[in-house]
Amino acid sequence: MSTTAPPTGKARSRSASGRAGDRGMNRIFRLVSTWSGALILATLAAVAIFLVLEAWPAISLGGEELGEQISWFPEDTSIITFVGPLIFGTLLAAFLALILATPLAVGVALFISHYAPRRLAQALGYLVDLLAAIPSVVYGLWGILAFAPIVYPVWNGIAETLGWFPLFEGPAADPPRVMATVAVVLAVMILPIITAVCREVFLQTPKLHEEAALALGATRWELVKTAVLPFARSGIISGAMLGLGRALGETMAVLMILSPGFLYSFAIFQAGQQQTIAANIAAQQPEAPPLGVSALIATGLALFVITMAVNMAARAVVARRKDFSGAN
Amino acid sequence: MAQRIDVKDLDIYYGDFLAVEGVTMTIEPRSVTAFIGPSGCGKSTFLRTLNRMHEVIPGTRVEGSVEMEGVDLYGPGVDPVAVRRQIGMVFQRPNPFPTMSIEENVLAGVKLVNKRISKSDAADLVESSLRGSNLWEEVKDRLDKPGAGLSGGQQQRLCIARAIAIKPQVLLMDEPCSALDPISTLAIEDLIAELKQDYTIVIVTHNMQQAARVSDRTAFFNIAGTGKPGKLIEMDDTSTMFSSPTEKATEDYISGRFG
């Protein structure tokens, strides 16, 4: 689509003639935007430097000394082998949540943007935005007080029938302070943000392409499939990444629900198997000696790197089919 | 393949607002019918009621009948989706699907109807449709490239290829050249002359010379004033319309004294 025409001769000559006030504002705008950009980079760098400096004592020491000086530090482990299971647990929780939430969010967003009558769509839209504003500790409370007490029979049923699959290995723990419960609560938490992003993107599908599909005799679903989803693909990925970011860093809900363990374990129905980085920091930090804090910050550094890597991977996915994105 | 359309006493409403009033006309098969008239006179709106595309806008409805070979398109149990598969449409601005290649664009409509089209059939259909829209020679070596990378005129011919790939009875064109340069316009006009061998074509145009060049029959729509409904003033053979129209308003419009 060639709707964004290059600046016409007329516009250029006007800026060249340069009214003084106009130029002043332009300069302020340039300064503000440049410094804002620089500030972001500086913040990011400051965080990275802080993490590395603070984590260094723990990283540089051997496992033996760490074990001696930190009461809760597992025996005979280096900092790498300490962080490993935590990274694993964090990724497991976040990806399970993402797998549960993304299809549902796309469905809800599609319903709001392309199926629901306008009144209902508006009301639902507000509702989703409200859900996004609920603090995570509330979701955690809901998870442990309302959801966990009733979900055990479901987990147990799945573990008994599909137990041969590593993820569903039994016996299911009761009370279900397990990864599966955490994943569901995290999914509920990240559902609104993914839905909100998807809805906005779906609503921006060009009328032109929707009409093209309809004129070819597309049903509502076929319209969605040929015009809306391909156009919204990068938007869906962006929404999912926002959700993933939230799930990766989520502390309270995990801390309140999960019975922690430090294993590389896929058993999401068993207690004492996994732990996430953020929840572990929150759990250990208050009583940790200085070196312990340093070890925890090292795990924070790992989380920082993971989040950056995930976001860059998402960007790469979005950019891969740029020619076909419809942005040209 | 081409079929005639009979419109009787068609009123078109946007909510309570009567947009087009009392249109009665016959659109002949294997011919080009042009709709001309000033902006806002309802000719595009009327065109869209011929394949029920106006229903995309909530609150629109029609009274009267539109029959294709005796079947009322607005009859009970008639699915607008089925109507649109019979009556294709080309829009003002070229709108190939940006996420699809040239080939996928041509097949987009076909894939909706026939999911399991074989590779060789698909390739044949792509070639025949692109040949049908005079685009084959220009794109045959880059069928896997994005459709949005073509020039505006090529994109519009790609859209025509996409529309004729599903073998419609009728092809509606809503100002198909208004976003194109003169050379691309000429290419489309030549194409329209060829397509009328096989299809019934209805074209809305603001360009009177274009109507005179491409159409067999011309319908003139006009509007009495803002807030008034658009009406069909006169419809006749194009040569008659442009040489000796019956209505004064038609003559004024065609000779440029109005609109």
Side-chain angles (χ1 to χ4, degrees), chain A residues 208 211 214 217 222 230 324, chain B residues 48 81 84-85 93 95 98-99:
Chain A
L208 221 57
E211 289 192 335
L214 286 174
E222 288 163 344
F324 288 86
Chain B
R48 284 168 165 252
V81 168
R84 292 176 199 139
R85 282 182 185 164
R93 275 176 54 196
N95 55 358
T99 52

Side-chain angles (χ1 to χ4, degrees), chain A residues 31-281:
Chain A
L31 284 176
V32 167
S33 52
T34 311
W35 279 102
S36 304
L39 194 66
I40 291 285
L41 282 177
T43 313
L44 195 70
V47 169
I49 290 167
F50 162 81
L51 286 172
V52 171
L53 285 181
E54 293 290 313
W56 189 249
I59 297 174
S60 56
L61 281 180
E64 226 164 274
E65 280 166 275
L66 285 171
E68 269 170 31
Q69 295 192 34
I70 310 168
S71 58
W72 42 259
F73 204 85
E75 301 269 323
D76 292 329
T77 23
S78 72
I79 192 76
I80 303 290
T81 40
F82 173 66
V83 176
L86 287 172
I87 293 177
F88 174 82
T90 306
L91 289 176
L92 183 66
F95 277 105
L96 283 176
L98 199 65
I99 287 165
L100 290 173
T102 307
L104 201 58
V106 170
V108 173
L110 275 179
F111 179 73
I112 293 174
S113 67
H114 282 83
Y115 287 87
R118 204 173 330 160
R119 283 263 175 80
L120 181 62
Q122 242 163 16
L124 273 174
Y126 284 129
L127 205 67
V128 168
D129 289 344
L130 273 180
L131 278 177
I134 295 178
S136 63
V137 66
V138 176
Y139 282 107
L141 278 175
W142 171 77
I144 197 65
L145 296 178
F147 182 63
I150 57 167
V151 80
Y152 170 71
V154 181
W155 291 165
N156 191 39
I158 299 176
E160 273 174 11
T161 50
L162 297 170
W164 49 267
F165 190 65
L167 212 55
F168 304 137
E169 203 178 307
D174 187 21
R177 296 174 147 266
V178 297
M179 189 53 96
T181 313
V182 169
V184 171
V185 173
L186 286 182
V188 174
M189 272 183 56
I190 65 177
L191 187 66
I193 183 78
I194 305 179
T195 307
V197 172
C198 288
R199 183 195 62 201
E200 285 308 311
V201 179
F202 293 160
L203 285 175
Q204 282 166 18
T205 311
K207 267 262 133 20
L208 221 57
H209 300 141
E210 293 192 0
E211 289 192 335
L214 286 174
L216 289 172
T219 60
R220 196 68 74 93
W221 161 239
E222 288 163 344
L223 158 75
V224 165
K225 207 174 56 176
T226 46
V228 180
L229 289 181
F231 170 81
R233 192 170 151 276
S234 60
I236 296 172
I237 295 174
S238 304
M241 286 310 122
L242 274 178
L244 185 63
R246 200 171 168 192
L248 282 172
E250 178 46 35
T251 310
M252 282 317 293
V254 182
L255 188 65
M256 292 163 83
I257 297 168
L258 190 63
S259 155
F262 294 86
L263 308 172
Y264 290 102
S265 164
F266 279 107
I268 60 171
F269 293 140
Q270 295 176 21
Q273 303 288 307
Q274 311 93 347
Q275 173 68 308
T276 71
I277 293 175
N280 187 55
I281 292 175

